[in-house]
mmCIF file of all heavy atoms in Angstrom:
data_model
loop_
_atom_site.group_PDB
_atom_site.id
_atom_site.type_symbol
_atom_site.label_atom_id
_atom_site.label_comp_id
_atom_site.label_asym_id
_atom_site.label_seq_id
_atom_site.Cartn_x
_atom_site.Cartn_y
_atom_site.Cartn_z
ATOM 1 N N VAL B 239 -4.535 -6.601 10.949
ATOM 2 C CA VAL B 239 -4.828 -7.953 10.469
ATOM 3 C C VAL B 239 -4.573 -9.007 11.519
ATOM 4 O O VAL B 239 -3.570 -9.027 12.167
ATOM 5 C CB VAL B 239 -3.950 -8.261 9.166
ATOM 6 C CG1 VAL B 239 -4.174 -9.673 8.711
ATOM 7 C CG2 VAL B 239 -4.188 -7.243 8.057
ATOM 8 N N LYS B 240 -5.542 -9.903 11.596
ATOM 9 C CA LYS B 240 -5.378 -11.195 12.346
ATOM 10 C C LYS B 240 -5.749 -12.244 11.405
ATOM 11 O O LYS B 240 -6.908 -12.353 11.043
ATOM 12 C CB LYS B 240 -6.429 -11.194 13.503
ATOM 13 C CG LYS B 240 -5.917 -10.674 14.831
ATOM 14 C CD LYS B 240 -6.977 -10.956 15.874
ATOM 15 C CE LYS B 240 -8.084 -9.922 15.928
ATOM 16 N NZ LYS B 240 -8.884 -9.864 17.175
ATOM 17 N N ALA B 241 -4.782 -13.081 11.064
ATOM 18 C CA ALA B 241 -5.148 -14.182 10.139
ATOM 19 C C ALA B 241 -5.460 -15.388 11.014
ATOM 20 O O ALA B 241 -4.695 -16.434 11.001
ATOM 21 C CB ALA B 241 -4.050 -14.442 9.235
ATOM 22 N N HIS B 242 -6.500 -15.416 11.883
ATOM 23 C CA HIS B 242 -6.728 -16.441 12.849
ATOM 24 C C HIS B 242 -7.281 -17.711 12.142
ATOM 25 O O HIS B 242 -7.253 -18.756 12.748
ATOM 26 C CB HIS B 242 -7.642 -15.993 13.948
ATOM 27 C CG HIS B 242 -6.808 -15.173 14.933
ATOM 28 N ND1 HIS B 242 -7.418 -14.504 15.955
ATOM 29 C CD2 HIS B 242 -5.505 -14.921 15.049
ATOM 30 C CE1 HIS B 242 -6.466 -13.937 16.715
ATOM 31 N NE2 HIS B 242 -5.358 -14.148 16.160
ATOM 32 N N LYS B 243 -7.892 -17.492 10.972
ATOM 33 C CA LYS B 243 -8.529 -18.685 10.389
ATOM 34 C C LYS B 243 -7.542 -19.615 9.664
ATOM 35 O O LYS B 243 -7.834 -20.801 9.430
ATOM 36 C CB LYS B 243 -9.593 -18.236 9.295
ATOM 37 C CG LYS B 243 -10.879 -17.715 9.979
ATOM 38 C CD LYS B 243 -11.995 -17.781 9.038
ATOM 39 C CE LYS B 243 -13.188 -17.110 9.668
ATOM 40 N NZ LYS B 243 -13.801 -16.210 8.648
ATOM 41 N N GLY B 244 -6.433 -19.015 9.255
ATOM 42 C CA GLY B 244 -5.465 -19.904 8.477
ATOM 43 C C GLY B 244 -4.500 -18.894 7.754
ATOM 44 O O GLY B 244 -4.630 -17.728 7.944
ATOM 45 N N ASP B 245 -3.599 -19.432 6.994
ATOM 46 C CA ASP B 245 -2.646 -18.574 6.346
ATOM 47 C C ASP B 245 -3.420 -17.706 5.305
ATOM 48 O O ASP B 245 -4.420 -18.068 4.843
ATOM 49 C CB ASP B 245 -1.426 -19.359 5.826
ATOM 50 C CG ASP B 245 -1.717 -20.156 4.631
ATOM 51 O OD1 ASP B 245 -2.898 -20.397 4.342
ATOM 52 O OD2 ASP B 245 -0.736 -20.605 4.017
ATOM 53 N N ARG B 246 -2.772 -16.587 5.017
ATOM 54 C CA ARG B 246 -3.405 -15.591 4.254
ATOM 55 C C ARG B 246 -2.469 -14.804 3.383
ATOM 56 O O ARG B 246 -1.273 -14.540 3.829
ATOM 57 C CB ARG B 246 -4.115 -14.667 5.115
ATOM 58 C CG ARG B 246 -4.749 -13.359 4.493
ATOM 59 C CD ARG B 246 -5.525 -12.503 5.469
ATOM 60 N NE ARG B 246 -6.128 -11.380 4.918
ATOM 61 C CZ ARG B 246 -5.550 -10.215 4.714
ATOM 62 N NH1 ARG B 246 -4.405 -9.961 5.123
ATOM 63 N NH2 ARG B 246 -6.219 -9.228 4.108
ATOM 64 N N ILE B 247 -2.808 -14.460 2.194
ATOM 65 C CA ILE B 247 -1.928 -13.621 1.299
ATOM 66 C C ILE B 247 -2.737 -12.342 0.937
ATOM 67 O O ILE B 247 -3.858 -12.428 0.667
ATOM 68 C CB ILE B 247 -1.440 -14.360 0.073
ATOM 69 C CG1 ILE B 247 -0.731 -15.719 0.473
ATOM 70 C CG2 ILE B 247 -0.493 -13.492 -0.745
ATOM 71 C CD1 ILE B 247 -0.217 -16.509 -0.662
ATOM 72 N N SER B 248 -1.991 -11.241 0.962
ATOM 73 C CA SER B 248 -2.594 -10.046 0.424
ATOM 74 C C SER B 248 -1.555 -9.271 -0.263
ATOM 75 O O SER B 248 -0.303 -9.569 -0.188
ATOM 76 C CB SER B 248 -3.139 -9.162 1.646
ATOM 77 O OG SER B 248 -2.023 -8.657 2.357
ATOM 78 N N TRP B 249 -2.035 -8.388 -1.198
ATOM 79 C CA TRP B 249 -1.079 -7.662 -2.125
ATOM 80 C C TRP B 249 -1.368 -6.123 -1.973
ATOM 81 O O TRP B 249 -2.176 -5.630 -2.861
ATOM 82 C CB TRP B 249 -1.332 -8.165 -3.564
ATOM 83 C CG TRP B 249 -1.006 -9.564 -3.822
ATOM 84 C CD1 TRP B 249 0.181 -10.082 -4.327
ATOM 85 C CD2 TRP B 249 -1.781 -10.710 -3.574
ATOM 86 N NE1 TRP B 249 0.147 -11.451 -4.446
ATOM 87 C CE2 TRP B 249 -1.174 -11.895 -4.034
ATOM 88 C CE3 TRP B 249 -3.086 -10.893 -3.046
ATOM 89 C CZ2 TRP B 249 -1.636 -13.125 -3.904
ATOM 90 C CZ3 TRP B 249 -3.605 -12.189 -2.912
ATOM 91 C CH2 TRP B 249 -2.876 -13.258 -3.325
ATOM 92 N N PRO B 250 -0.802 -5.495 -1.086
ATOM 93 C CA PRO B 250 -0.955 -4.062 -1.063
ATOM 94 C C PRO B 250 -0.047 -3.329 -2.018
ATOM 95 O O PRO B 250 1.135 -3.708 -2.121
ATOM 96 C CB PRO B 250 -0.587 -3.619 0.402
ATOM 97 C CG PRO B 250 0.269 -4.782 0.944
ATOM 98 C CD PRO B 250 -0.026 -6.044 0.033
ATOM 99 N N PHE B 251 -0.531 -2.399 -2.686
ATOM 100 C CA PHE B 251 0.218 -1.463 -3.601
ATOM 101 C C PHE B 251 0.275 -0.086 -2.962
ATOM 102 O O PHE B 251 -0.754 0.534 -2.726
ATOM 103 C CB PHE B 251 -0.465 -1.462 -4.981
ATOM 104 C CG PHE B 251 0.302 -0.590 -5.916
ATOM 105 C CD1 PHE B 251 1.264 -1.141 -6.820
ATOM 106 C CD2 PHE B 251 0.102 0.807 -6.038
ATOM 107 C CE1 PHE B 251 1.918 -0.381 -7.751
ATOM 108 C CE2 PHE B 251 0.635 1.576 -6.988
ATOM 109 C CZ PHE B 251 1.623 1.085 -7.755
ATOM 110 N N PHE B 252 1.413 0.388 -2.782
ATOM 111 C CA PHE B 252 1.506 1.708 -2.100
ATOM 112 C C PHE B 252 1.868 2.757 -3.072
ATOM 113 O O PHE B 252 3.017 2.733 -3.797
ATOM 114 C CB PHE B 252 2.702 1.684 -1.015
ATOM 115 C CG PHE B 252 2.429 0.688 0.046
ATOM 116 C CD1 PHE B 252 2.908 -0.628 -0.010
ATOM 117 C CD2 PHE B 252 1.504 0.924 1.047
ATOM 118 C CE1 PHE B 252 2.616 -1.664 0.940
ATOM 119 C CE2 PHE B 252 1.226 -0.036 2.005
ATOM 120 C CZ PHE B 252 1.714 -1.323 1.948
ATOM 121 N N LEU B 253 0.983 3.778 -3.297
ATOM 122 C CA LEU B 253 1.201 4.943 -4.154
ATOM 123 C C LEU B 253 1.705 6.062 -3.314
ATOM 124 O O LEU B 253 0.976 6.591 -2.570
ATOM 125 C CB LEU B 253 -0.046 5.222 -4.895
ATOM 126 C CG LEU B 253 -0.001 6.334 -5.905
ATOM 127 C CD1 LEU B 253 0.622 5.830 -7.225
ATOM 128 C CD2 LEU B 253 -1.345 6.912 -6.192
ATOM 129 N N ASN B 254 3.017 6.329 -3.457
ATOM 130 C CA ASN B 254 3.591 7.378 -2.660
ATOM 131 C C ASN B 254 3.861 8.581 -3.502
ATOM 132 O O ASN B 254 3.904 8.483 -4.724
ATOM 133 C CB ASN B 254 4.941 6.897 -2.012
ATOM 134 C CG ASN B 254 4.698 5.828 -1.056
ATOM 135 O OD1 ASN B 254 3.923 5.942 -0.114
ATOM 136 N ND2 ASN B 254 5.439 4.706 -1.200
ATOM 137 N N PRO B 255 4.121 9.737 -2.984
ATOM 138 C CA PRO B 255 4.407 10.965 -3.761
ATOM 139 C C PRO B 255 5.614 10.775 -4.621
ATOM 140 O O PRO B 255 6.443 9.871 -4.403
ATOM 141 C CB PRO B 255 4.599 12.022 -2.709
ATOM 142 C CG PRO B 255 3.896 11.605 -1.495
ATOM 143 C CD PRO B 255 4.058 10.084 -1.500
ATOM 144 N N SER B 256 5.767 11.735 -5.604
ATOM 145 C CA SER B 256 7.005 11.704 -6.382
ATOM 146 C C SER B 256 8.201 12.194 -5.533
ATOM 147 O O SER B 256 7.910 12.922 -4.544
ATOM 148 C CB SER B 256 6.904 12.735 -7.520
ATOM 149 O OG SER B 256 5.594 12.791 -8.043
ATOM 150 N N PHE B 257 9.396 11.793 -5.832
ATOM 151 C CA PHE B 257 10.477 12.285 -5.043
ATOM 152 C C PHE B 257 10.595 13.904 -4.995
ATOM 153 O O PHE B 257 10.848 14.357 -3.888
ATOM 154 C CB PHE B 257 11.842 11.784 -5.595
ATOM 155 C CG PHE B 257 12.194 10.462 -5.107
ATOM 156 C CD1 PHE B 257 12.508 9.458 -6.015
ATOM 157 C CD2 PHE B 257 12.261 10.119 -3.727
ATOM 158 C CE1 PHE B 257 12.836 8.138 -5.558
ATOM 159 C CE2 PHE B 257 12.459 8.855 -3.304
ATOM 160 C CZ PHE B 257 12.803 7.876 -4.212
#
Side-chain angles (χ1 to χ4, degrees):
V239 175
K240 263 190 277 197
H242 280 178
K243 285 202 186 133
D245 69 349
R246 170 175 184 270
I247 304 180
S248 69
W249 295 261
F251 179 92
F252 301 96
L253 184 75
N254 294 311
S256 322
F257 275 128

